[in-house]
Amino acid sequence: MNELNPSGWRPSTGEIGTVDVPPTFTGNRALQLEEPLIFEIGSVDQCGVDLPDADDEVLPGLPLRAAPVDLPGLSEPEAVRHYTRLSRQNYAIDLGLFPLGSCTMKHNPRLNEKVARLPGFADVHPLQPQQTVQGALKAMNELAHWLITLTGMHGVAMTPKAGAHGELCGLLCIRAALEARGDLREVILVPESAHGTNPATAAFAGFRVENIPATAEGRVDLAALTARLGPDVAGVMITNPNTCGLFECDMKAISDAVHVAGGYVYCDGANFNAIVGRVRPGDLGVDAMHINLHKTFSTPHGGGGPGSGPVVLSEALAPFGPLPFSARQADGSVRLVEEENAAEEGHSQAFGRMCAFHGQMGMYTRALAYILSHGADGLRQVSGDAVLNANYVLRSLDDVLDAPFGAAGPCMHEALFSDDGFAEGFSTLDLAKGLIDEGFHPMTVYFPLVVHGAMLVEPTETESKAALDQFIGAMRSLAQRAKAGDPALKSAPHMAPRRRLDETLAARKPKLVWREA
Ligand SMILES: *Cc1c(COP(=O)(O)O)cnc(C)c1O
């Protein structure tokens, strides 16, 4: 890929980086600005706004602070610059392709943001009387309806606040269903390729986790799974499409076998983007599945924004779903079903609740705007284009990178590669760091664990062919450097404001509190 390609992307001629760059006086690198902590630049006697003098009146019962808080202050323009500079140190989906596998980093349409900011959604309070927030409750109820329709399930618990929280909700439903029939099974089977949250959730919910092996093609080993089923198995947690980027073709057979053995089927639905509008998990015998609204239905993700992980439930598990949930009334109004009216609504078996209020309103409105603006045909095209893009990446790289399941046929939404064939001493980490110099956030690395030096690339449907070609060009160049053992790759990134950080130290001994030196 070293000539001009049909999409018009031109590879760099290589002038950049050929001269030694002396350190700058400021520490800045061209327009990439260094920025100290606000505690280092602010001072306690500065303030960006004119505040009225405090009078001595103190509300009765409020404790008085004995010493000043010592918050750092900046002038208004300094404060604006501080936070703008910090924001520019982030990589974002609005800047470039974000190939993180398993995360579905897609464009968030601006329409979502416009809808989420409507005062009737953004400015309401969870303790407001319900008749004053009927529009918001109806939007929640409508989203619930679409999630049930798209998945072919019976009910939905809207309150969980992320995928992992949804997993916990699903497993608590399974536990409640087992308790209701006096059957205290304690084992949850989880495939080797599962996201780390699956076994963590099962353990947290009080189950014992057992692994089930994968076949050489990267799918759940049906024979091994059925052999392990028995009266102690509460259920399975299966990701479909799985984290190797493959559809679990045996899903229906897995569900049937688990049901015959008296267990329940939890499906990790984080990868729903690859099948939305085409496959209904309810038809595959799934009993509970979380949907990451912040993946499949756009909405900010990975940038610290809130998540939302509604859990769709089968007829068998729906009666145990948590409170509160929205229910349409005979007069057309919508009410939140809480402890005091659960029996009236025929929902007295709820296992409890996942959070204080009704869940993430802002994510509901974004997801509903996304679903309604795409429509049924648009959502079908989303999954089709996402899968097409991933296969384009897979087939454009499988001659320079090892694709462990490449022979198994087309992938789903993500392409998986390994470090097989890299020069001695070169690893996936080196390639990922090189990608930073090329101007990309690295792909997901070392996950799934079943592949040595895994590199998981999920381009999503929102990338153009030109953007994919540029990424593929960078990946081809880096793969060749890793195979040739280019020493410069070993110390990449060279052009980022920071080089390689001690990530273990940062994780083990994080500095969470600033102290004056
Ligand atoms: C993202 C993801 C999760 C967890 O979802 P969060 O919203 O991050 O808690 C679980 N499983 C898979 C496969 C995922 O990709």
Side-chain angles (χ1 to χ4, degrees), residues 42-55:
S43 71
V44 291
D45 46 21
Q46 261 196 85
C47 188
V49 286
D50 287 330
L51 294 174
D53 284 339
D55 49 30

Side-chain angles (χ1 to χ4, degrees), residues 93-94 103-113 116 143 161 291-310 360-371 374 461-462:
I93 192 68
D94 288 345
C103 291
T104 314
M105 301 297 287
K106 60 165 78 177
H107 170 65
N108 178 49
R110 291 302 174 267
L111 180 65
N112 294 358
E113 296 307 307
L143 175 62
K161 300 210 171 179
I291 301 171
N292 302 62
L293 295 187
H294 50 287
K295 293 181 182 173
T296 308
F297 300 113
S298 67
T299 73
H301 165 267
S308 182
Q360 307 282 41
M361 194 64 214
M363 307 312 272
Y364 298 160
T365 44
R366 288 176 176 94
L368 183 60
Y370 182 86
I371 289 172
H374 278 71
E461 71 284 357
T462 56

Side-chain angles (χ1 to χ4, degrees), residues 261-504:
Y264 294 95
V265 178
Y266 187 90
C267 179
D268 180 329
N271 299 332
F272 193 47
N273 203 53
I275 55 173
V276 64
R278 290 167 194 270
V279 176
R280 300 190 313 164
D283 298 335
L284 301 176
V286 168
D287 289 301
M289 180 183 94
H290 73 262
I291 301 171
N292 302 62
L293 295 187
H294 50 287
K295 293 181 182 173
T296 308
F297 300 113
S298 67
T299 73
H301 165 267
S308 182
V311 179
V312 285
L313 297 166
S314 66
E315 198 166 357
L317 291 188
F320 304 97
L323 300 169
F325 61 90
S326 66
R328 198 167 267 280
Q329 305 298 293
D331 65 358
S333 66
V334 173
R335 75 165 166 179
L336 280 179
V337 179
E338 292 278 7
E339 276 81 356
E340 58 272 18
N341 53 17
E344 242 170 72
E345 295 278 349
H347 199 79
S348 48
Q349 285 178 290
F351 72 72
R353 58 199 303 134
M354 294 301 292
C355 57
F357 296 117
H358 53 268
Q360 307 282 41
M361 194 64 214
M363 307 312 272
Y364 298 160
T365 44
R366 288 176 176 94
L368 183 60
Y370 182 86
I371 289 172
L372 293 182
S373 58
H374 278 71
D377 58 335
L379 290 178
R380 235 181 112 75
Q381 192 182 341
V382 160
S383 51
D385 290 351
V387 171
L388 180 65
N389 276 358
N391 279 282
Y392 183 62
V393 170
L394 179 66
R395 295 308 166 204
S396 303
L397 291 174
D398 65 359
D399 61 327
V400 287
L401 279 175
D402 172 56
F405 305 120
C411 62
M412 295 299 288
H413 55 301
E414 53 198 355
L416 178 59
F417 304 99
S418 85
D419 62 0
D420 194 30
F422 285 10
E424 181 73 25
F426 281 75
S427 66
T428 287
L429 188 72
D430 302 318
L431 188 145
K433 296 293 183 191
L435 212 44
I436 296 174
D437 276 339
E438 294 284 355
F440 292 101
H441 189 287
M443 73 296 274
T444 292
V445 293
Y446 300 106
F447 175 78
L449 304 176
V450 289
V451 165
H452 193 268
M455 290 173 264
L456 192 60
V457 178
E458 181 180 8
T460 84
E461 71 284 357
T462 56
E463 294 306 328
S464 67
K465 181 163 181 300
L468 293 181
D469 284 337
Q470 191 191 37
F471 174 73
I472 288 163
M475 285 289 285
R476 292 187 69 84
S477 156
L478 290 165
Q480 276 147 3
R481 289 171 64 195
K483 285 164 130 178
D486 174 3
L489 188 59
K490 209 58 226 163
S491 49
H494 297 274
M495 287 179 269
R498 296 292 179 278
R499 307 292 295 277
R500 291 200 189 190
L501 307 177
D502 188 339
E503 289 165 17
T504 312

Side-chain angles (χ1 to χ4, degrees), residues 54 83 109 149 172 213 280 287 346:
Y83 289 106
T149 304
L172 291 177
R280 300 190 313 164
D287 289 301

Side-chain angles (χ1 to χ4, degrees), residues 102 162-164 167 195 197-198 239 243 268 270-271 290 292 294-295:
S102 216
E167 291 170 27
H195 194 268
T197 50
N198 291 190
T239 309
T243 56
D268 180 329
N271 299 332
H290 73 262
N292 302 62
H294 50 287
K295 293 181 182 173

